Amino acid sequence: MELLTGLGLRLKQWTARIPLLAHRQKHKRKNQFRRNRFAASDELLPFELVKYFAVTSLALIFCASLLLSWILANNAKHVLLKRSEAYSQLFAENLNRQVFLQFVLPTVVRYGRIALSDERQFRRLDSIVRNITRGMHIDSVTIYDSKENIISYSTITELVGRRNMGGLEYEKARRGEDNAVLISSGSLFNLLPGAPPVYGTLKTYVPFRQEDRTGERSGEIMGVIEVVQDLSADLRAIIELQARIILLSLLIMGVLFAILGVIVVRANRIMAERARERLRLEEKLGEAQRLATLGKMVAAVSHEIKNPLGIVRSTAEILGKRIAKVAPGSEHLAGIIVEETTRLDTIVREFLDFARPRDLVMEPESLNTLAERIARFFSHELEQKNINLHLELAPHLPRCKMDGEQMYQVLMNMVFNAIQAMPEGGDLTLTTAYDPDGDLLSIAVSDTGEGMDREKIDQVFSPFFTDKHKGTGLGLAIAKNIVEKHGGRIEVYSVPGRGSRFTIVLPLRIELD
């Protein structure tokens, strides 16, 4: 009895330490997973910077496009002004020559002096000026008196006789200096519907001088010629060019942004998927290392307990026979020892199965045969617990190579769990199926029991996890190992209060007739 008591205490201590160690290992694995996740985030950080770099580059391209369009517009405006000013000066010089030769000299010879107040002289000058300006893209020509700021002649008749119309430019020309001034208003906003039109006027002021016989301008300044050109259309064309440059830049940037966006998004997804895959592999590696550590410890403990446990059981059986002869009625005490040692032996066997998985013995087997065998084994217990068994077996289900005994152990564990999940009775269904597209076989164990929430589903295959008062929590962990050794998987679907469904999916290795 002391041996049994000591053995029970030691087993109890070891079984208490194993879940604690598993919990510590799981906590350690979670911390490692967090560190790996943060490390993966740090590795993704440089690629995140690529996205910021792409956006910043596009912004810089846009700013550079604006600057380029502004430089081109100003340069075009400057070139236009210089060319228009040179054109106006050339026109004014030609006008000076023609007026002097065709009007001044003949008028002085005929009338003795120039008096534009005389209608005949004014009409002759107006006729000469208009003939010269015809087709020359000149808006107006105005001649100021040289002695006072008064308009002596203008193609705009309403201006004739007005005083103080010439400004600083008139004074410069009166002193013999050619000059010009551009009066303009307009920007990109003037291209918008409803905005005021672009306005641009170039006024060129040239001294009106006498000419000698060779055509050289010399002598006294007789007045100031003002030539006015309308540059509104040209300025609008320059602003439209600026707008086209900006729009083209925006279009190019949009295309570049779309291309970069697609590249960045796809690359980010690929890198994130690779990071997640690496984390999954590291998690599986940590799980394998943890299970290996636990397996070594469990194997050592189980080996230490198994032999003494067998001695206790055989001794209890002998004592039971002797007690029945010496003290009839007390032999049930020995029976209790045998029963408890049998339970402990079952626990030890589960530990050993978990720590040292058996090699697979692959033979042709049918899932339908395993389902029928399970139904026969549990028929009496199902009847006692008021559970209705339904077999939904696929006809002509192909056989495949598997370890029939180990797969039977998997199904037995799942059916046993389903029975425990229906203490008040219910429906238990075994379903087999064949997927020819994926070349997969499956068998599902469904119940109408208590069901599980998401947290339990995530931990149901973890070693030593159990929500029962009895059991080691190794049954489903061992089942998962067996199924994965067959190259398959276990799928779980459960709704609290409505039941659970465990589906074993196996690849069809060899199809037999």
Side-chain angles (χ1 to χ4, degrees), residues 36-55:
N36 292 338
R37 184 180 62 185
F38 295 147
S41 300
D42 293 339
E43 290 177 2
L44 289 178
L45 183 59
F47 199 79
E48 293 291 333
L49 293 178
V50 173
K51 294 193 290 187
Y52 294 119
F53 173 76
V55 175

Side-chain angles (χ1 to χ4, degrees), residues 8-18:
L9 290 175
R10 291 174 65 184
L11 181 61
K12 185 176 181 181
Q13 292 172 356
W14 279 106
T15 53
R17 288 179 59 190
I18 290 173

Side-chain angles (χ1 to χ4, degrees), residues 387 417-429 445-453 493-502:
I387 297 176
N417 288 342
I419 293 174
Q420 289 185 327
M422 296 183 290
E424 304 299 328
D427 293 312
L428 175 65
T429 305
V445 179
S446 306
D447 64 70
T448 57
E450 300 171 352
M452 298 180 293
D453 55 19
Y493 174 78
S494 184
V495 178
R498 297 177 59 183
S500 304
R501 182 176 69 247
F502 285 76

Side-chain angles (χ1 to χ4, degrees), residues 28 34 40 55 81-82 116 139 166 191 205 212 235 263 273 310 314 349 365 374 381 408 423 486 492:
K28 181 179 179 181
R34 294 192 186 100
V55 175
L81 179 61
K82 289 298 182 181
L116 292 179
D139 270 13
L191 300 179
Y205 294 85
D212 56 18
L235 289 178
I263 294 174
E273 182 60 31
S314 60
R349 288 182 182 278
E365 187 61 84
I374 287 289
E381 185 174 357
Y408 180 76
H486 281 78
V492 183

Side-chain angles (χ1 to χ4, degrees), residues 145-269:
D145 190 87
S146 61
K147 296 180 180 180
E148 53 181 330
N149 192 351
I150 183 173
I151 297 177
S152 300
Y153 167 80
S154 178
T155 53
I156 303 175
T157 56
E158 293 83 0
L159 299 180
V160 177
R162 292 190 179 184
R163 296 179 178 272
N164 301 321
M165 294 293 292
L168 180 63
E169 291 76 15
Y170 162 77
E171 296 296 335
K172 290 181 179 180
R174 197 161 65 92
R175 292 194 297 269
E177 180 182 350
D178 295 351
N179 63 93
V181 60
L182 177 65
I183 303 173
S184 64
S185 66
S187 64
L188 293 172
F189 296 104
N190 292 88
L191 300 179
L192 298 176
V198 177
Y199 172 76
T201 299
L202 178 65
K203 293 183 178 181
T204 304
Y205 294 85
V206 179
F208 181 45
R209 299 175 182 270
Q210 297 181 6
E211 292 191 2
D212 56 18
R213 295 178 180 180
T214 61
E216 294 292 334
R217 299 174 62 192
S218 61
E220 181 183 0
I221 296 177
M222 303 171 59
V224 174
I225 299 177
E226 178 194 74
V227 178
V228 179
Q229 286 182 274
D230 185 9
L231 304 180
S232 299
D234 295 329
L235 289 178
R236 181 178 178 86
I238 292 174
I239 295 176
E240 288 177 350
L241 174 62
Q242 185 180 14
R244 284 194 293 270
I245 293 174
I246 295 175
L247 291 177
L248 182 60
S249 300
L250 288 175
L251 179 61
I252 295 174
M253 281 194 302
V255 175
L256 289 176
F257 186 79
I259 296 174
L260 286 176
V262 171
I263 294 174
V264 168
V265 169
R266 291 188 62 182
N268 201 19
R269 288 177 180 173

Side-chain angles (χ1 to χ4, degrees), residues 68-84 182 231 234-235 237-239 241-242 245:
L68 178 63
S69 65
W70 180 79
I71 293 174
L72 291 176
N74 279 353
N75 184 66
K77 188 175 180 181
H78 178 72
V79 171
L80 174 66
L81 179 61
K82 289 298 182 181
R83 294 186 62 180
S84 298
L182 177 65
L231 304 180
D234 295 329
L235 289 178
I238 292 174
I239 295 176
L241 174 62
Q242 185 180 14
I245 293 174

Side-chain angles (χ1 to χ4, degrees), residues 11 298 301-303 305-307 309 342-354 472:
L11 181 61
V298 168
V301 174
S302 301
H303 181 72
I305 293 176
K306 186 173 180 61
N307 291 336
L309 194 61
T342 302
R343 185 176 67 84
L344 292 177
D345 184 68
T346 302
I347 294 174
V348 171
R349 288 182 182 278
E350 287 186 355
F351 284 168
L352 288 174
D353 289 340
F354 173 72
T472 60

